[in-house]
């Protein structure tokens, strides 16, 4: 079990959400709240608030990308076998609709082969309610530690 998974299980979702900003400070800018974290799945929410808005009053594209990288990274961390490490190598993003409310970002890696080395393409979706607002594919480079 990864150190991140142990932290999540021991601290619980609410406390872990605050801790993630200590581990990687930039993620604190969106004030994420973890809903779920397990191998093959991660889900967070963050509120539409002034600090994450763009000039037209919707959630800024980079705030959405920040959430996508957070769910993809935490899910990758708890999904890869012991003795491996990862780093994001690239991100492809499609903005599907205006993000005009609170955000829910989901990384679904249930269909991925976590035993492979090299590039792993992690799919992420972000929603406002049931409306999809972002689709991303984040390439994680997985190697021996």
């Amino acid at each position: 079990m990864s150190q991140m998974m142990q932290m999540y299980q021991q601290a619980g979702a609410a406390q872990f959400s605050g801790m993630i900003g200590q581990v990687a400070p930039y993620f604190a800018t969106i004030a994420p709240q973890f809903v779920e974290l397990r191998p093959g799945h991660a889900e967070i929410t963050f509120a539409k608030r002034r600090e994450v808005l763009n000039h037209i009053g919707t959630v800024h594209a980079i705030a959405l990308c920040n959430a996508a990288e957070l769910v993809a990274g935490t899910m990758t961390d708890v999904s890869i076998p012991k003795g491996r490490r990862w780093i994001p190598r690239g991100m492809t993003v499609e903005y599907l609709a205006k993000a005009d409310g609170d955000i829910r970002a989901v990384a679904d890696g249930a269909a991925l082969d976590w035993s492979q080395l090299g590039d792993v393409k992690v799919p992420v979706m972000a929603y406002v309610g049931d409306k999809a607002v972002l689709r991303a594919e984040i390439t994680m480079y997985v190697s021996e530690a």
Side-chain angles (χ1 to χ4, degrees):
M1 178 183 309
S2 77
Q3 183 178 7
M4 190 168 296
M5 191 75 235
Q6 289 175 334
M7 287 172 50
Y8 180 78
Q9 289 178 340
Q10 290 172 355
Q15 189 174 6
F16 180 81
S17 297
M19 292 166 55
I20 202 72
Q22 299 298 316
V23 174
Y26 188 70
F27 291 130
T29 63
I30 60 170
Q33 296 298 309
F34 274 80
V35 174
E36 188 173 5
L37 177 62
R38 60 180 160 78
H41 185 87
E43 182 174 342
I44 65 163
T45 61
F46 72 93
K48 177 186 174 189
R49 61 190 211 294
R50 186 177 190 285
E51 294 84 356
V52 297
L53 299 183
N54 59 27
H55 65 289
I56 61 171
T58 60
V59 176
H60 195 283
I62 299 306
L64 295 170
C65 289
N66 194 1
E69 188 173 339
L70 176 58
V71 291
T74 53
M75 185 199 55
T76 298
D77 194 84
V78 304
S79 299
I80 60 175
K82 189 175 183 172
R84 301 265 170 93
R85 63 183 175 187
W86 60 274
I87 190 163
R89 186 184 284 233
M91 179 187 294
T92 303
V93 179
E94 295 176 79
Y95 303 108
L96 306 173
K98 288 181 181 177
D100 55 2
D102 294 346
I103 303 298
R104 179 173 60 95
V106 181
D108 181 3
L112 299 177
D113 178 4
W114 291 108
S115 67
Q116 73 180 7
L117 291 170
D119 289 343
V120 177
K121 296 190 182 287
V122 177
V124 178
M125 294 293 296
Y127 304 90
V128 170
D130 292 333
K131 177 179 69 172
V133 297
L134 172 135
R135 178 182 308 125
E137 183 178 77
I138 301 177
T139 302
M140 298 297 190
Y141 181 72
V142 178
S143 63
E144 297 291 345

